[in-house]
Amino acid sequence: MPKNTKVTQKEHSNEPVTESVADLLSLEHPMGFKSSQMSMGLSPGSTAPVRALLPSPDPDIEDGRPAWNNKLEYILAQVGFSVGLGNVWRFPYLCQKNGGGAYLVPYFILLLLIGIPLFFLELAVGQRIRRGSIGVWNYMYPQLGGIGVSSLMVCGFVGLYYNVIIGWSIFYFFQSFQYPLPWAECPLQRNGSQAIVVPECEKSSATTYFWYRQALNITSTIDDTGGLNWKMVLSLLVAWIMVCLAVIKGIQSSGKVMYFSSLFPYVVLFCFLVRGLMLKGAVDGIAHMFTPKLEKMLEPQVWREAATQVFFALGLGFGGVIAFSSYNKRDNNCHFDAALVSVINFVTSILATLVVFAVLGFKANVMNEKCVVDNAEKILGYLNTGVLSNELIPPHVNFSHLSTQDYAEMYSVIKTVKEDIFAQLGLDSCVLEDELNKAVQGTGLAFIAFTEAMTHFPASPFWSVMFFFMLINLGLGSMIGTMTGITTPILDAFKIRKEILCVVCCIIAFLLGLLFVQRSGNYFVAMFDDYSAGLPLTVVVILENISVAWIYGTKRFMQDLEDMLGFRPYSFYYYMWTYVSPAILVVLIIATVIEMAMSPAGYNAWSQSEHFQSYPPWAMGMAYSLIIVAMLPLPLVFIARHFNLLPDGSNKLSVSYRKGMMKDISNLEEQDEQRFILGKNPIETPSPMPPRAYLGPGGTQEMTNTNYGTSTKTGYQNIGSPESEL
């Protein structure tokens, strides 16, 4: 004990000897707060259910945590993580499916109600506590520390199959350096002395055949693994090497990568938009997309899918948002960041939708013209054989220059006059609207529909190279955030070298990812996409919301934000965090469970054509086990902490936090340290800290602290540590 402390000065006095808080914190060895009677004045052995966020230490105090080189790197990292493949191949599909422009209304409303508030919440807690997902929620409320573990588990599941999609894009990227593109035409096979088109390709299309047979070499069922597809194994290896190199130095390396991986996709999207608008039929596609079908807004399914898309578009619950913000300065304006990144994400989705529908409009016109030509040849054959009479053909129709309008008129006449035999003629209506209504999403959009459209572009290899290079960069930005969400909590807990952790994680992930590069791997990608993230992530986010709003307290959290940001957040956030966002998330969870219960569990198998097939029992068990494994840490950690079977790490105070706390309470000795620790008579002595008015519509809220049976109101609830890791 230092000789000049008040404790040693009172050593020979008759008064009880009491160590000051500053003395205790000055010791070299960390103090166990659970065993201490300092903790909120609780009796020995009891634990504090919630920890207050301490006043931030002096920003100048170095805590050894890495920091972003500049604000731009951080914003690009958050944009790169939130803007991903879903913006390009899921948002346009949802617009097409759910009423075109009408879908934008519920999406924007839900972006304001749950998207921006919850994104702001994750940014704020990460920046305030400066830890990864596990450390943040252990610190907030140790019994809900399983939130961070579940978040890490989901990140792992998603990262495993998400990088496989990057591997597919890498394969197509290198295949694009050919003219003509290898998926432009169906291959030929020898049948004796004749060369005929492969029947499977002729039945589907050249791009579909290349995707399923040349790229995936897919099996007909999930039961038949078919062995490893070595082309895809190599592509997956390249993908994991890229991810490893991007994150091996932490934010020092990933921040530099983000300058390119976050900005380059916008260059490609603008190039595609300009080129797409010059294509014939592009206006038809854009008009189809933005023509609102207002009746769709009355369907609950549209709102559920809009909420889900908002939820996943911003990367909520993955831990990447928290991890990135934990490397910020404590006074960074995370409120501005939340609004900025959310708006950029929304605008990117609109931009990608314009590009997709411009290209799909062009493709629809090409396919519609092909349909007219094929059916016109059928009609000519019927005219030559006498099945149809020449009198049925309008006099102005010229078969050598047949327009879609002329064909529609001719089709209508034949259908009316020959109604009895019309079905046997096998004629198609060839309506452009039908082509535009063919909803394509996910891999079908990127690797089949878009690739088919690009075969009709002038200089098609160039545009194909640009498109798949864009997909690689979009995926890489999201993977960097996913890997950061995995490595940051582990580094906070175990303090190992990040280079070693990164390499080990990538090697393990590559080996586990071999499941997805079998010939049946595409079926497992679909399974993980459907089951590993949706429900677990929604549960994680609602628990995050409840932990902050209802356990820690929204008013107290708002006051912490004012201390950190220097201004009061709008009361809008108070209502969103406290009432609206939790209610919407509960409805979303219920709707997700109902959909899973009512929808048949299965996958789209390929055998000459695509058809739905139910999962076998073992696959169904595997699918549900993904949900269980992802959510299992939540009850396990809660039970273990409730019965004190698992320490919450409250005795792990870093040197910098101890110094910061000493500075914050150094004036306590000048008041009355006996009152603070043991409390002779709490009512007679002033509070060690100024009373805090917690913001919110309800006015102020005071915290009641019990100290050995005596109630006292204080603004200093508990001395906790942000390093409370598992």
Side-chain angles (χ1 to χ4, degrees):
M1 181 69 64
K3 293 182 178 181
N4 58 347
T5 65
K6 292 185 179 182
V7 174
T8 54
Q9 292 171 8
K10 297 179 182 180
E11 187 175 7
H12 301 290
S13 68
N14 296 327
E15 296 182 12
V17 177
T18 305
E19 293 182 340
S20 72
V21 176
D23 289 334
L24 292 173
L25 292 176
S26 67
L27 296 177
E28 288 298 323
H29 299 289
M31 184 177 67
F33 288 99
K34 274 190 170 183
S35 58
S36 172
Q37 297 174 358
M38 256 178 54
S39 183
M40 290 183 65
L42 300 175
S43 58
S46 62
T47 58
V50 186
R51 296 184 185 161
L53 292 181
L54 294 172
S56 295
D58 190 331
D60 296 330
I61 296 177
E62 179 60 49
D63 64 358
R65 189 171 186 80
W68 297 101
N69 292 326
N70 53 67
K71 183 66 174 283
L72 180 60
E73 278 190 12
Y74 165 68
I75 293 296
L76 290 178
Q78 292 286 14
V79 169
F81 178 52
S82 66
V83 175
L85 298 175
N87 297 75
V88 175
W89 68 28
R90 180 155 178 81
F91 187 87
Y93 159 76
L94 291 174
C95 279
Q96 182 182 27
K97 176 186 175 186
N98 295 316
Y103 173 75
L104 299 178
V105 176
Y107 183 87
F108 186 72
I109 291 174
L110 291 169
L111 179 65
L112 293 177
L113 295 183
I114 62 173
I116 296 178
L118 294 177
F119 191 60
F120 179 29
L121 184 145
E122 289 201 357
L123 290 179
V125 296
Q127 180 175 309
R128 181 69 169 181
I129 303 175
R130 295 175 62 79
R131 291 295 177 268
S133 57
I134 295 179
V136 161
W137 303 113
N138 275 345
Y139 178 60
M140 269 287 188
Y141 185 54
Q143 290 184 350
L144 286 182
I147 294 175
V149 184
S150 286
S151 178
L152 189 148
M153 296 291 294
V154 174
C155 265
F157 287 149
V158 172
L160 286 177
Y161 77 84
Y162 200 89
N163 217 27
V164 174
I165 301 174
I166 300 179
W168 293 342
S169 302
I170 290 171
F171 173 77
Y172 267 78
F173 172 76
F174 285 108
Q175 291 291 316
S176 299
F177 290 94
Q178 303 179 47
Y179 186 82
L181 292 170
W183 52 82
E185 297 178 354
C186 285
L188 302 176
Q189 68 179 19
R190 289 288 176 182
N191 185 7
S193 59
Q194 294 182 338
I196 62 172
V197 177
V198 175
E200 183 179 358
C201 183
E202 189 174 26
K203 185 179 179 181
S204 53
S205 69
T207 51
T208 304
Y209 177 81
F210 184 88
W211 166 242
Y212 283 115
R213 195 56 59 208
Q214 300 292 332
L216 300 180
N217 193 17
I218 200 165
T219 58
S220 57
T221 66
I222 196 172
D223 288 305
D224 181 12
T225 62
L228 292 174
N229 181 349
W230 290 103
K231 293 179 291 187
M232 291 305 168
V233 171
L234 182 60
S235 299
L236 181 63
L237 178 61
V238 173
W240 276 114
I241 290 174
M242 291 172 56
V243 171
C244 185
L245 293 176
V247 300
I248 193 167
K249 292 291 186 180
I251 61 172
Q252 279 72 28
S253 59
S254 61
K256 301 296 186 296
V257 174
M258 285 297 182
Y259 279 110
F260 185 81
S261 65
S262 295
L263 295 176
F264 179 75
Y266 290 96
V267 176
V268 177
L269 284 175
F270 277 112
C271 290
F272 262 99
L273 180 61
V274 173
R275 184 68 187 92
L277 293 175
M278 297 168 61
L279 296 171
K280 178 183 177 182
V283 176
D284 295 327
I286 294 175
H288 175 78
M289 182 264 157
F290 281 107
T291 302
K293 302 178 180 62
L294 298 178
E295 66 277 5
K296 284 279 188 179
M297 292 178 58
L298 301 177
E299 299 179 8
Q301 178 75 2
V302 174
W303 290 84
R304 188 192 70 80
E305 292 189 344
T308 303
Q309 180 62 17
V310 167
F311 188 77
F312 289 107
L314 295 174
L316 300 175
F318 282 94
V321 172
I322 294 176
F324 279 150
S325 65
S326 72
Y327 298 112
N328 269 332
K329 294 180 180 179
R330 290 183 178 87
D331 59 350
N332 173 63
N333 189 349
C334 55
H335 176 262
F336 171 79
D337 300 342
L340 177 64
V341 174
S342 300
V343 170
I344 291 175
N345 189 289
F346 179 66
V347 172
T348 304
S349 297
I350 300 296
L351 175 62
T353 302
L354 287 172
V355 172
V356 167
F357 274 90
V359 174
L360 291 183
F362 165 70
K363 174 181 173 289
N365 270 269
V366 170
M367 299 305 295
N368 197 55
E369 290 176 358
K370 183 176 181 296
C371 175
V372 168
V373 171
D374 292 343
N375 283 272
E377 291 178 355
K378 288 183 182 180
I379 294 174
L380 281 174
Y382 293 142
L383 292 173
N384 293 332
T385 57
V387 176
L388 296 177
S389 171
N390 288 319
E391 297 177 355
L392 297 176
I393 309 302
H396 64 276
V397 171
N398 183 356
F399 277 93
S400 61
H401 297 87
L402 188 63
S403 67
T404 54
Q405 292 80 6
D406 290 342
Y407 174 78
E409 184 180 350
M410 186 169 53
Y411 176 86
S412 178
V413 171
I414 295 173
K415 183 178 181 180
T416 303
V417 176
K418 296 291 185 179
E419 186 176 359
D420 52 339
I421 64 168
F422 183 79
Q424 302 172 14
L425 298 177
L427 298 177
D428 298 317
S429 59
C430 297
V431 178
L432 180 63
E433 191 75 13
D434 294 339
E435 282 291 336
L436 291 170
N437 281 328
K438 290 181 179 178
V440 182
Q441 69 161 322
T443 55
L445 174 65
F447 298 104
I448 297 177
F450 225 82
T451 52
E452 184 172 349
M454 285 187 294
T455 58
H456 302 286
F457 281 22
S460 55
F462 168 78
W463 293 104
S464 183
V465 167
M466 292 283 284
F467 176 71
F468 288 108
F469 194 38
M470 178 189 72
L471 291 188
I472 292 170
N473 280 276
L474 284 173
L476 184 60
S478 297
M479 276 302 300
I480 289 174
T482 302
M483 287 298 294
T484 305
I486 295 172
T487 57
T488 297
I490 298 176
L491 289 171
D492 289 342
F494 299 104
K495 307 299 180 186
I496 61 178
R497 287 191 61 182
K498 54 179 170 284
E499 294 88 350
I500 296 175
L501 175 64
C502 174
V503 171
V504 170
C505 285
C506 289
I507 291 174
I508 294 174
F510 169 72
L511 295 176
L512 294 175
L514 294 178
L515 171 70
F516 306 102
V517 290
Q518 303 174 100
R519 290 180 56 202
S520 61
N522 188 46
Y523 305 140
F524 290 99
V525 170
M527 177 195 294
F528 272 65
D529 190 36
D530 291 338
Y531 290 93
S532 67
L535 184 60
L537 270 185
T538 314
V539 173
V540 163
V541 174
I542 193 173
L543 289 177
E544 290 181 355
N545 195 165
I546 291 172
S547 181
V548 171
W550 289 94
I551 299 178
Y552 182 75
T554 310
K555 294 180 181 180
R556 196 184 333 160
F557 186 59
M558 294 281 277
Q559 178 63 49
D560 290 326
L561 289 177
E562 184 183 8
D563 295 342
M564 182 170 68
L565 303 177
F567 62 89
R568 298 185 180 189
Y570 300 116
S571 58
F572 164 81
Y573 292 104
Y574 174 88
Y575 291 107
M576 293 302 105
W577 290 331
T578 309
Y579 306 111
V580 179
S581 296
I584 294 176
L585 290 172
V586 168
V587 173
L588 182 58
I589 289 175
I590 294 172
T592 303
V593 172
I594 292 174
E595 185 195 21
M596 291 177 60
M598 296 181 63
S599 301
Y603 60 101
N604 291 321
W606 176 263
S607 180
Q608 303 294 320
S609 62
E610 200 173 63
H611 61 279
F612 182 82
Q613 194 161 326
S614 299
Y615 282 124
W618 67 266
M620 198 67 255
M622 181 178 179
Y624 285 120
S625 68
L626 293 174
I627 300 175
I628 295 171
V629 170
M631 296 175 63
L632 197 58
L634 296 170
L636 288 183
V637 173
F638 183 87
I639 294 171
R641 292 260 167 82
H642 182 74
F643 293 102
N644 295 323
L645 302 176
L646 184 68
D648 61 7
S650 58
N651 61 336
K652 298 179 182 178
L653 276 175
S654 67
V655 173
S656 63
Y657 265 78
R658 277 188 279 154
K659 289 180 179 178
M661 290 164 60
M662 286 176 63
K663 182 176 180 180
D664 289 329
I665 62 174
S666 59
N667 61 338
L668 294 181
E669 289 185 350
E670 299 174 2
Q671 300 178 22
D672 189 352
E673 64 191 46
Q674 282 189 342
R675 182 208 61 78
F676 186 76
I677 299 177
L678 296 177
K680 285 184 175 180
N681 191 348
I683 299 177
E684 297 175 359
T685 54
S687 172
M689 292 183 64
R692 297 174 62 177
Y694 298 119
L695 301 181
T700 60
Q701 174 182 328
E702 295 177 299
M703 294 161 48
T704 302
N705 190 7
T706 304
N707 190 9
Y708 289 95
T710 308
S711 176
T712 180
K713 295 179 179 179
T714 176
Y716 200 89
Q717 184 184 8
N718 183 32
I719 300 178
S721 166
E723 294 188 41
S724 306
E725 307 284 1
L726 279 177

